[in-house]
Amino acid sequence: MQPDSNDRYSNPTLRVVSSLALVSMLVGSVLIVRVGRDTKPPQAARPTAAESSEDEAVSIPISCQHLLDDGPPSTPPADQLVLTNATVLTMDPQRRRAHSVATRDGQIAGIDSESSEGSVIDLEGATVLPGFIDSHSHWIGDSDVVEQTSEEAIDTALRWGWTSISELFVSWERLDALCELERSAALRVKVGAFLPLNYQTQRFGHWYDSYTPGEVFGPHLWIQGLKFFADGAPDGLGYQTKPPSPDVQGALFWDKDELAAEFVRANDAGWQIAIHATGDGGLDLALDAFEAVGTDDILNARDRVEHLTTVRDDQIDRLKKLGLIGSIQLSFFHAGVADELKRWLGESRVDLSGRWRDLIDAGIPIAGSTDRPWALAGISGPSIPAISQAVTRTSPQGKTAPPWMLSQLMTVDEALRSLTIDAAIAQRTEDSVGSIEVGKDADLAILSKDPTSIPPDELADIEIIATIVDGRVEYCGKSVPTALQEICP
Ligand SMILES: [Zn+2]
């Protein structure tokens, strides 16, 4: 799923953050089990009838039921646009580049077509990409961590060109909240919700039985899959089979047979499975459980392993054989955290971390993401810096990465694919988003420069000029072309 090209860049935005802060943020990001949730344990499942009033024990949250009863919210009509004088990177292998794209009724209506009707917008040489897709995030669910409301988090996402996200921990309360946002037309990015089965050793039961895989609650909200946590550690990278010291070993949250039985049950009911696995021991557990599902069903459901932060060679082989998708965070591993990784993994095993290049070369489908707000909390979420980290591994302070990190660089094209078409595949939405093709949703990110054709050290200067969702301009940056200004929100 990942092709060619080779570029690197650094990002000045991140340089203001101290390496110490970054390290602690990395701990938080990888160890989502530790940060943010210890103080407020989640209750994923709707309370049972015994715990709640009869009214609360309905199978679908109230606000979501309202959506189903009343239909989706009315939204303003989409702009009919002809975006011209642009570099269009379609991410469609059949037609990789174009110069103009037309939208109508919220969809792509034409590419380089002469007869397109609508407001002609001269983009003054800007670059148009499919809207970015964050395949693993907590943009809305955990937005309070970065002291934002849901609406502010959505604004931030749009500012960085995200048009579609997967939320990886949607409890019933959070699903209620998402439905309410959708009902009031405030859910301006598309959200696929993963329902959690556990959090650390806490289990939530089969509350997902109240929902249908892929169930759609509105144009911007659907149930995507189920989320499991295999492992975690209060100080380290998940459960390690050979930790350098006992205090960084971490823990497993499931017995092998128990997890396999849960996977089979979920799979039989048609669910896509995503499991958090950060240590190599956690990944062993996940892979063993996936053996019970089998390759055919894994491919069919597009089951995924989240993070893949520590991976042994034999596990790369198993991931490939099983047909699993790797859902990785592009900004996790850079020079600034190299020492901390050594402490967690030991000198001899540190090169097992962040093996994006090896995963791609092995033919494992990769979906990119931010894990916002946990990865690099406070500054995570930006799409351009995520791409920067994936392709340079340079620290935010400008420190060059050690050789074992530099051997794992992604190309710009791979990073872009991981945040567009490949993320769409992991999200099962590639029929409607992820590339610029006629008939797909008019979800677009407009960039100030073409990231595939400028020197690496200029990539960090790329700005998101505008973000378009369903043909509507939802965000405009400072350097928006004159012709676009009239239809900016
Ligand atoms: Zn996460």
Side-chain angles (χ1 to χ4, degrees), residues 29 32 136-138 168 227 229 276 307 329 371-372 374:
S29 63
I32 189 166
H136 178 128
S137 77
H138 311 268
L168 266 287
K227 169 74 177 295
F229 289 86
H276 164 123
H307 307 303
Q329 286 72 54
D371 203 16
R372 171 168 173 117
W374 299 107

Side-chain angles (χ1 to χ4, degrees), residues 172-393:
W172 70 269
E173 289 171 308
R174 289 178 174 186
L175 187 56
D176 263 355
L178 287 169
C179 285
E180 196 50 44
L181 287 167
E182 177 76 316
R183 193 165 71 90
S184 58
L187 199 59
R188 295 156 63 217
V189 293
K190 297 170 184 176
V191 178
F194 277 88
L195 314 181
L197 269 285
N198 75 299
Y199 172 67
Q200 299 185 359
T201 54
Q202 188 181 358
R203 304 291 163 76
F204 305 129
H206 301 129
W207 70 292
Y208 63 81
D209 287 344
S210 298
Y211 304 92
T212 311
E215 187 167 1
V216 174
F217 288 122
H220 286 183
L221 180 62
W222 69 98
I223 301 281
Q224 191 180 328
L226 301 183
K227 169 74 177 295
F228 295 75
F229 289 86
D231 67 338
D235 182 22
L237 274 185
Y239 182 78
Q240 304 293 331
T241 56
K242 293 179 182 169
S245 67
D247 56 317
V248 295
Q249 175 153 41
L252 296 174
F253 300 141
W254 295 87
D255 165 78
K256 187 166 110 178
D257 294 339
E258 187 188 16
L259 185 62
E262 288 293 346
F263 274 18
V264 169
R265 185 187 193 280
N267 180 69
D268 287 349
W271 287 94
Q272 180 186 25
I273 294 167
I275 183 163
H276 164 123
T278 49
D280 69 318
L283 183 54
D284 281 337
L285 173 66
L287 292 169
D288 287 347
F290 275 125
E291 295 282 1
V293 175
T295 301
D296 288 349
D297 283 3
I298 287 171
L299 288 170
N300 189 44
R302 303 192 194 173
D303 293 336
R304 334 176 343 175
V305 181
E306 309 300 308
H307 307 303
L308 286 177
T309 44
T310 317
V311 185
R312 304 187 310 263
D313 284 348
D314 64 294
Q315 293 177 321
I316 290 181
D317 293 342
R318 289 185 78 191
L319 284 161
K320 172 67 178 165
K321 279 190 190 125
L322 283 165
L324 287 158
I325 292 171
S327 167
I328 62 169
Q329 286 72 54
L330 300 186
S331 52
F332 266 16
F333 298 104
H334 56 73
V337 296
D339 291 343
E340 194 71 3
L341 290 169
K342 273 185 195 163
R343 185 172 76 77
W344 286 337
L345 299 172
E347 185 90 38
S348 64
R349 285 165 64 85
V350 71
D351 58 358
L352 299 184
S353 62
R355 300 178 66 181
W356 309 157
R357 174 84 267 133
D358 291 340
L359 291 167
I360 291 168
D361 288 348
I364 294 161
I366 292 299
S369 66
T370 66
D371 203 16
R372 171 168 173 117
W374 299 107
L376 309 174
I379 54 169
S380 76
S383 48
I384 299 296
I387 293 164
S388 161
Q389 295 296 351
V391 302
T392 69
R393 301 292 184 104

Side-chain angles (χ1 to χ4, degrees), residues 474-486:
E474 292 282 7
Y475 165 77
C476 285
K478 275 182 268 182
S479 1
V480 64
T482 313
L484 199 56
Q485 281 173 11
E486 287 177 21

